[in-house]
Every structure is written in structure tokens, then in C-alpha cells.
Amino acid sequence: MNELVIHSRQGSVGVITINNPPVNALSPGVPQGILEGVDKYGADDEVRAIVIIGGGRTFIAGADIKEFGKITSGEKKRGPGLHTVIYGLEGSSKPTIAAIHGTAFGGGLETSMGCHYRVALVSAKVGQPEVKLGIIPGAQGTQRLPRLAGVEKALEMCALGAPISATAAHELGIVDRIIDGGGYDDLLAGAVAFAEEVGASAGPLPKVSERNGKLGTPQENAPIFAAARAMVAKKRRGYFAPLKNIEAVEASTTLPFDEGVKREAELFQECLFSSQSKALIHAFFGERAVRKIPDVPKDTLVKKIASAAVIGAGTMGGGIAMNYANVGIPVIIKETSQEALDRGMNTIRKNYERSVKRGRFTQEFMDQRMALITPQTSYDGFESADIVVEAVFEEMGLKKKIFAEIDKVAKADAVLASNTSTLNIDEIAAATTRPEQVIGHHFFSPANVMRLLEIVRGEKTSKEIVATSMALARTIGKVGVLVGNCHGFVGNRMFGPYRREAQFLAEEGAAVSEIDRVIYEFGAAMGPLAVGDLAGLDVGWRVRKGNPGLFPEGTRRPLAEDRLVEAGRHGQKTGAGWYRYDENRGRHDDPEVTALLTTIAAEANIEQREIADDEIRDRVILSLVNEGARILEEGFALRSVDIDIIYLNGYGFPPFRGGPMFYADTVGLDKVLARIEEFHAAHGHWWRPAPLLKELVGAGKTFSDWDKERASAG
Ligand code: T1G
């Protein structure tokens, strides 16, 4: 027994409790503590059965992910650890029962499948989410799960990583009994009672490793594996681990158990040392790291948000209101006219109907959510809203007018948030008498779907409002990232150079669809020019028109999109932009655009040439890195990982690349700087290397080193 694993007795039942908060990860010492308990109770004649349970809020949520870095860096070797525990649990002469509440994920589910029986609270979830970390289950999960749940379900659970409910697990045969009650004590009592039952019964103990009944025949399995490979090729394009998961589960149907376990171990190793796994683990911890705001202490007051009000029922306003309703928070939505209000509510209804049709929501859930949204054309009720979110047209004058009005109606301690995507938060706040309560809540379209919430801190924004906004982001299911108040904040400020370089490349002769193909193959959901057509080229045109300072005198200005917009080509919404679109929104190259680009190049004296894929990739992607480094040195982002999380959750940056800053670290900042200097020599002003980049290369450091130093400097 050690402080991580507690051994106790309940009558004739030995109880092994994992005590490693917050999620009972299998950190060093935990497997050993479990094994000691199995050995001890195995040898104790008074003990008839053994229960293994997680202390606190959950069963084992998996291996300790923090240990993986030590293995891939060679700091420590991966031991037999968990395999020994699982064989120990299965080899026990006394029945072993896993009692599951919270989440039995990864090594947690594998540990439970080493047991002879599994019982769970109805609220529990089980799963093999390893693929989300770029790996496969490494402790026999790919060999035991098919034996319990069948090949098809095991394949889905391993290749996609989504958890399932205890009820579904019970129906599949993973869980043997659902324990009534909701709490830990109910679970423990129910598990001990179950243990006494099986402890008293005679007969061989059921070993998962010997249950081959659900493994199917090669004929039955062949179409299942083919369909799974086709599915991940479509849904997980560019990912490495989903295919490795399929290979491992396939081994369970073609090899004897122990051979299958060996094959799983080889595939696990291959994945763990892959750059994709490092990127996905970086993203996992990154999503947790962005929650920490160095100068906002943990005990800062977080206001409870029990009611909300949204101004503007357009695409963004409607989506924002849905976020609140979806978590049961009543929300008022205000528009200037009944007609606009009806249009907005209609869009919301359609969004819910689509989700009901897709089985994401029940009709009952939809009705409950719609009932929480109150459409109106007045400020009635705003005095009781804990938060007011402004989501009107992106024009400073209008926003300031709205905030002056909100200032008069909102309650004293309300959070006053603006969904502006580029405008100066301090200038908006100055339109009120309480700038300390004003903050930016920059949602991404569609706001009810996109996970990112860029939280923009103004000069006077109070720590309470920052802390409340960060907590609220989690409540409404968003990843909240705190950023400073500069033009375009972090995401859009970097997106400018990203799309600028794509335009320049097109003006220099690269084919429109070639530019998008290269970035699509890099892993982005869509290329930069097609994204422009989707968002509407007129949006960027208005920003450029409204901010002439964006392109200082003497600097090269992208010309193509202004010309496209002035030719009425605003993108998908006008049926033409960089591409021509058919009635089904199918995208087609358009020779008119190629001709326009040739004209622009001639007029602007731009030499058109063959441009290689790696130049396209590097100019588009490294423009993000260079601007990201500027944002860091100017202090508008707290850490480089914050930038990565923004791009992974708001801009479709491929997760298996870890984000632009992590990607740069992977390539090597010295190579990145050399490439940027090359572009600077060739293309001038816009490619001036960021001083921080030069500094880090000079010191042989990475962006992640920079984050660590900042964190330790506090
Ligand atoms: N290892 C190390 N730390 C972990 C961890 C883990 N498995 N899971 C969570 N943490 C930390 C997390 O970083 C945070 O730290 C704190 O715990 C609370 O987490 C052998 C190889 C369980 C659903 O992939 O999905 O098993 O920020 O904020 O929202 O085959 O955590 O406070 O310092 O996320 O309530 C497989 C990962 C591992 C599950 C709880 N398991 N975890 O969510 O809390 S690989 C997973 C989660 C494996 C085997 C293989 C979630 C959660 P900090 P949190 P939460």
C-alpha cells in the first residue's frame, strides 16, 4: 500500500482504492499499489473477492500522459507496469471486480477488462480515447475490448476514441451490472454486494482473454475492417493513429491473445514516437494550460452566470444565444425590428431541427432549449441579466452606441461583452461608465459549433470579469483563450498574413486551386482562398477599406481580392469568388480569375513564375509563425501554446501538427528563421523576421522553452 493506492476490507471483500486526484491517472506507484493489493488479498483466506475502485470523482482516467514525454525523450524506459497488473488481476484466484464511476478511460478501461467483472454507476463513461493523443491503447485494450464488445464496436471505440455510456457498455457486455444510486457510496456498497455474490459462487472465473466468441470469422470481419478504413480515410484524413488502431484490433481476430498483445505493443511504440502524437498531446495539455492566467489568482471571484442577454439575432447572435440555452441558461435575444427578430429565431429553430434530424438532440431537448430563448425588441429584462453580449454589425460607431445603452440598463455587476472580431475593446469600453466590466467574447462562426472563444482583455477589464469569462467559457462548452487588445486580437491578426501570402502567391502565378491543395494536403480542412470564398471576400475588403493603415505606404498590398470584390465576386454567396460555384455549391476553377491575376500582375509589375509546393506551404504557414512570434513579444498572447489552441479550435489548423507555433518547433526554429530570412530577402517588408524568433534561435531555444521560462518567471 502507498499513499496513491489504499487497501481496506469490507467484510470478506478486499477493497483497492486508487487515490491519485484529480483523475486517478496510472502514475508511477499506482500500478504497483494495485498489484500489491491483489497479491495481498489473493493470499488472505478471509478474503473471498477483490474490488478495485477510484477514490474521489472518477475511476482511472488512463495512463499518466505526463509520463509519455519522459519515454519519448529517452529519460525513462516504458516498463511492463500495467501489463503485469492486468495479468495479475485476471490471474487472481479470487474474483476481481472493477467498480466504475466518472470515467474509465484508456488504461482505466484496460485495467477493468483485466478484472473478471465490471460494475458501474449509470452516470459513468468508458472509452479508449488514446487515438485523440495520436496513439493506440497500449495495455491490451485492442485485444480485450473486441472480446467483450464485439469487433465492430471495439473498432469504432478505438479508431475514433469517443466514450460510451455505462448503459451502452452494459448492453454490449463490457459492464456486467449497473449499480443503482448516484454516488460513490452507492457504488462501493453495490460493488461489495456484487463481490460477495460472485465470491460465494463456485466455478471458473471469466477471463476476458479467453472469451473469443465475439471475434467473428475472417469472412465476417473483412467488410467490417474495409468499412473502418474507408471511414477513417474520410473522417480522419492525414491522421496516423486511427489506422494503427484498426490494425491492432484486426490482430485480435487473426492472432492468439498473447501474440495480439505483442503486435499491439509494437504499434503502440510506433505511434508514441510519432510527431503526430507529440502534437496531439501538446494540444491536450494546451487546452488545460490556457485556463491559467498568471496574474489572476485561483481564488479570484467568479460571478455566477444564471441569465444572459444577447443584442443582435444575426448569424453570430443566434449562435451565441444557443450556447447559453444549450446549458440551461435562460437568454434574452434582442433585435431592432420584429422582422429581423423573426428571421433570427427562424435560423435558431432550423439549427436545432437539423441537430434533431441528425440525432444529436431529442425533440424534447430542442423544445426545452427554444423555451429558454426569449426574443424581443426592447431592453426589458436586461436589468436582471448576469451577462450582456453585443453581437451587432462590425462598425465602431454602432457598437459604442449599443454599449452606452447597455450601460444604462444592465445591472451593476453584469459582464458587458462584445463579440467584435477586430475592433478596439478599450474604445468600446470607453462608451460606458464602467470599462472594468467590459470584455471581448469573440465567438467563431457557427458560434454554437466552433469550440474557440477568444476572450479579449481591455486595459481596464477587472480580474473578476476575466476570471468569470474564463470559467463561463467552460460552462458553455468552449475553449476560452485570453488575449490582448490589438487589431484583430490574436486569431484574426495572424489570419491577415496567412491570407495575404496566399493572395501574393496567386498574383505571382501559383494556380488558385494549387495553393489550396497544398494547404489542404498539409492537413487544413480547407485552403486559404476557398476559406475566403466561404467567409465572403467582402468581409476582408471592408476591413481593408476601413483600415488603410494596414498597408503602410511603400509596402506591397494584395490586389486580387479587392479586384474580385469590385467585380462582384464576393465568394460562395455570389456564386463566384476565387472559384466559380455551381448550384450545389460545388467549387470549380475559373479561367476568368486566372486572366484577372495575369492582368493584375502585368499592371503591378509582378513577375509570374512556377512556384513549388514547399514555397507555397512555407509562405502561408510560416507567415502565421512570424506574426505569432510578434504577438508573443508584444504581450498580446500569454504563451505560444495559447496561439496553438486558438488556431486548432478556431481556424481549422490540423491538430496532428499541434498548432503553428508547435509546428515551428517541430521543424526547428533555426530552419524556420532561415526560410523567413530567405523570404525577407525575396519579398521584403512583410517578411521581416520577428525579433523573438531571432532571439530564440540565437539562444538555441524553442517557443515551448519560452513558455516554460515565462511560467517559471510567474
Ligand atoms: N494523465 C495525466 N494528467 C491528466 C490525465 C492523464 N491521463 N487526465 C487528466 N489529467 C490532468 C489534466 O491535465 C488536468 O491537469 C487535470 O488532470 C484535470 O483534468 C495505457 C496509453 C478524464 C475526462 O486520454 O479526457 O491510458 O490542468 O481538466 O475536464 O493504453 O481529463 O489541472 O494541471 O481535463 O474533468 C488515456 C484524458 C490516456 C483521458 C476529466 N486517457 N483525460 O476531464 O478534467 S493514454 C485519456 C481526460 C492511456 C493506455 C494508454 C479528462 C477527463 P491540470 P481536466 P475534466
Side-chain angles (χ1 to χ4, degrees), residues 299-381:
D299 60 1
T300 302
L301 172 75
V302 169
K303 298 173 192 296
K304 184 166 172 32
I305 304 293
S307 61
V310 175
I311 300 172
T315 313
M316 294 308 291
I320 294 169
M322 288 175 74
N323 286 312
Y324 285 95
N326 288 351
V327 291
I329 296 175
V331 54
I332 297 168
I333 188 162
K334 175 185 181 299
E335 252 301 350
T336 49
S337 71
Q338 193 57 43
E339 190 219 342
L341 201 54
D342 297 345
R343 213 175 26 248
M345 289 307 290
N346 204 23
T347 307
I348 293 174
R349 190 171 300 105
K350 281 214 177 78
N351 282 338
Y352 276 125
E353 282 164 356
R354 198 176 310 119
S355 298
V356 170
K357 220 187 266 129
R358 289 188 188 148
R360 276 200 56 227
F361 294 159
T362 61
Q363 185 60 47
E364 188 207 355
F365 181 94
M366 168 179 168
D367 299 342
Q368 288 166 349
R369 294 324 178 239
M370 287 296 290
L372 285 169
I373 303 176
T374 308
Q376 60 187 60
T377 56
S378 73
Y379 279 117
D380 295 354

Side-chain angles (χ1 to χ4, degrees), residues 55-136:
R57 65 181 170 123
T58 183
F59 190 70
I60 299 167
D64 187 333
I65 306 168
K66 291 196 182 74
E67 295 294 307
F68 294 166
K70 298 176 189 157
I71 297 169
T72 51
S73 65
E75 195 186 322
K76 75 174 247 186
K77 274 205 124 338
R78 180 167 183 255
L82 202 45
H83 288 280
T84 318
V85 171
I86 290 169
Y87 283 128
L89 287 163
E90 188 168 70
S92 162
S93 59
K94 315 276 173 70
T96 50
I97 297 100
I100 300 171
H101 70 309
T103 53
F105 283 178
L109 180 57
E110 291 169 300
T111 302
S112 80
M113 294 191 287
C115 297
H116 302 116
Y117 301 99
R118 286 146 297 283
V119 300
L121 287 181
V122 71
S123 57
K125 287 195 174 348
V126 305
Q128 303 280 182
E130 286 89 341
V131 71
K132 296 179 182 172
L133 301 170
I135 55 177
I136 72 169

